[in-house]
């Protein structure tokens, strides 16, 4: 188990050695609160876009399902006739310059895996830049938009926002409830009281003060050909190699088990870069991976290699809430 995996395990399952890091947590909490308070007072260099900005983020380290929700939000905005764009940090991307407009024909190494996935799925205008205000400005310079979605920018307080949506893994919750480095929290838990909506990924029904949100498998997609097959393509009990380089690989493996397959798990670091030999597993079985991994493996994938397409399914209550929020946002501008 890698060091990062051991730390995640400790955060979510507990470890007595974490108590040694408490002094660092006190400092981290102080800095996080101070940054938030300065933002609320309007201090510092804060950019407000001329169109509404919706931030989708989390307060925990690790995957919570932001990308599928971003895809759902894009569709929801378009269903209202809105021109929507996306900005992202572009974690792990190596573009020639910043800010960088992502297009569907670029490589994941150049554009970043999650931005490339979003663009290939939706064709949405998307700009990556760790400097979120600069990314928004670059997007608006060449694109007429009604609304911008900011992928994972909750703690980026140089960008003003009109809505904050926070995702939480329903199974793991807030871990041990401590901030970094003692726990997985990027900000103290009370930060959740100041956001507009909290979505719990994996919840079966709306929890108090929040909304349920599920990831629903929809198809198997062949990496080389793009052919889509139904989820009964592999009969129940089929053994297969399962590859996941995401924030919470166990969720992906559990999804495959729920489809009644027998996955042999191969967990990689989030945003991992792959080589062809890493996909040559023994014994020779079908390989199923996440869509996020597929955008990086398509060029050298073995013949029987697929990704599992999943769609976000938020609760009807959230869908109604978000629709009403869009009406309010557009009326206020």
């Amino acid at each position: 188990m890698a060091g990062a995996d051991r730390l995640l395990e400790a955060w979510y399952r507990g470890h007595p050695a974490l108590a040694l890091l408490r002094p660092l947590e006190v400092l981290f909490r102080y800095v996080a609160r101070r940054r938030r308070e300065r933002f609320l007072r309007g201090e510092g260099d804060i950019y407000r876009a001329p169109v509404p900005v919706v931030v989708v983020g989390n307060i925990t380290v690790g995957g919570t399902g932001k990308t599928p929700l971003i895809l759902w939000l894009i569709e929801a905005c378009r269903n209202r006739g809105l021109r929507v764009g996306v900005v992202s940090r572009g974690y792990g991307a190596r573009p020639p310059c910043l800010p960088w407009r992502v297009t569907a024909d670029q490589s994941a190494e150049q554009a970043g895996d999650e931005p490339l996935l979003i663009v290939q799925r939706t064709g949405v205008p998307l700009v990556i830049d760790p400097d979120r205000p600069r990314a928004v400005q670059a997007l608006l310079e060449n694109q007429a938009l009604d609304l911008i979605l900011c992928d994972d920018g909750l703690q980026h307080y140089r960008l003003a926002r009109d809505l904050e949506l926070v995702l939480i893994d329903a199974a793991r919750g807030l871990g041990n409830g401590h901030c970094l480095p003692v726990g997985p929290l990027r900000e103290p838990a009370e930060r959740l009281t100041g956001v507009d909506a909290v979505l719990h990924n994996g919840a079966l029904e709306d929890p108090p003060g929040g909304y349920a949100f599920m990831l629903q498998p929809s198809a198997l997609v062949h990496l080389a050909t793009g052919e889509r097959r139904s989820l009964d393509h592999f009969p129940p009990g089929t053994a297969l190699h399962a590859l996941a380089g995401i924030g919470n690989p166990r969720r992906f493996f559990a999804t495959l088990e729920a489809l009644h397959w027998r996955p042999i798990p191969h967990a990689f670091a989030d945003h991992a870069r792959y080589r062809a030999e890493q996909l040559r597993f023994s014994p020779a079985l079908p390989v199923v991976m996440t869509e996020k991994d597929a955008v990086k493996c398509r060029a050298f994938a073995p013949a029987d290699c697929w990704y599992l397409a999943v769609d976000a399914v938020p609760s009807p209550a959230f869908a109604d809430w978000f629709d009403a929020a869009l009406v309010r946002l557009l009326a206020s501008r």
Side-chain angles (χ1 to χ4, degrees):
M1 183 183 291
D5 294 330
R6 286 195 296 268
L7 190 55
L8 278 171
E9 187 83 7
W11 285 340
Y12 288 104
R13 294 183 181 271
H15 195 288
L18 292 174
L20 300 174
L21 303 175
R22 290 283 176 82
L24 293 176
E25 182 195 12
V26 172
L27 177 61
F28 183 91
R29 290 172 70 95
Y30 170 78
V31 172
R33 281 200 178 100
R34 182 171 173 79
R35 290 179 64 244
R36 172 70 177 162
E37 289 166 357
R38 292 186 74 246
F39 172 75
L40 293 175
R41 292 195 298 264
E43 298 175 1
D45 183 17
I46 301 172
Y47 171 71
R48 176 164 288 279
V51 300
V53 172
V54 177
V55 169
V56 181
N58 55 29
I59 67 166
T60 58
V61 174
T64 53
K66 290 188 302 296
T67 299
L69 183 63
I70 289 281
L71 296 171
W72 184 91
L73 293 170
I74 291 169
E75 183 177 2
C77 290
R78 287 175 167 173
N79 287 341
R80 288 199 63 87
L82 301 178
R83 299 166 296 180
V84 60
V86 176
V87 296
S88 172
R89 176 187 175 188
Y91 185 90
R94 296 175 180 173
C97 61
L98 291 170
W100 181 256
R101 174 73 176 265
V102 175
T103 58
D105 59 345
Q106 293 170 5
S107 68
E109 183 175 5
Q110 184 179 60
D113 47 19
E114 290 167 346
L116 184 60
L117 185 163
I118 292 169
V119 171
Q120 289 184 345
R121 268 256 209 149
T122 69
V124 71
L126 189 153
V127 169
I128 59 172
D129 195 330
D131 185 331
R132 301 308 203 291
R134 189 168 64 179
V136 171
Q137 291 168 338
L139 192 57
L140 292 173
E141 280 176 5
N142 300 301
Q143 199 83 35
L145 299 172
D146 300 306
L147 181 139
I148 291 176
L149 300 172
C150 180
D151 179 15
D152 194 15
L154 189 67
Q155 290 81 30
H156 197 95
Y157 286 121
R158 288 186 52 236
L159 178 63
R161 66 287 307 268
D162 298 271
L163 281 182
E164 291 181 329
L165 311 181
V166 172
L167 279 71
I168 294 176
D169 187 305
R172 301 197 301 184
L174 302 182
N176 61 13
H178 287 277
C179 286
L180 294 165
V182 178
L185 299 186
R186 298 176 175 182
E187 294 186 276
E190 53 264 33
R191 174 72 171 88
L192 294 176
T193 63
V195 305
D196 296 282
V198 179
L199 293 100
H200 297 256
N201 185 1
L204 298 178
E205 58 184 24
D206 292 338
Y211 299 100
F213 161 49
M214 299 289 290
L215 298 181
Q216 180 174 296
S218 57
L220 283 166
V221 184
H222 194 267
L223 261 68
T225 66
E227 176 189 8
R228 295 177 71 89
R229 291 290 184 92
S230 65
L231 297 176
D232 59 5
H233 176 67
F234 295 130
T238 298
L240 46 82
H241 293 289
L243 184 149
I246 57 177
N248 185 5
R250 290 180 182 176
R251 187 194 305 124
F252 178 67
F253 303 145
T255 298
L256 299 183
E257 289 171 352
L259 292 169
H260 307 292
W261 301 326
R262 293 191 295 114
I264 301 171
H266 303 276
F268 292 81
D270 196 11
H271 304 285
R273 287 189 172 91
Y274 298 100
R275 302 181 305 276
E277 56 267 25
Q278 291 176 291
L279 273 63
R280 298 183 189 128
F281 301 117
S282 181
L285 297 169
V287 177
V288 178
M289 62 181 64
T290 73
E291 188 173 2
K292 176 175 166 178
D293 294 303
V295 300
K296 296 174 285 190
C297 298
R298 189 168 283 116
F300 51 79
D304 199 6
C305 192
W306 307 76
Y307 73 80
L308 184 69
V310 298
D311 298 314
V313 185
S315 72
F318 174 76
D320 292 342
W321 177 87
F322 184 67
D323 193 58
L326 287 179
V327 173
R328 291 194 303 271
L329 280 182
L330 298 173
S332 66
R333 289 292 182 124

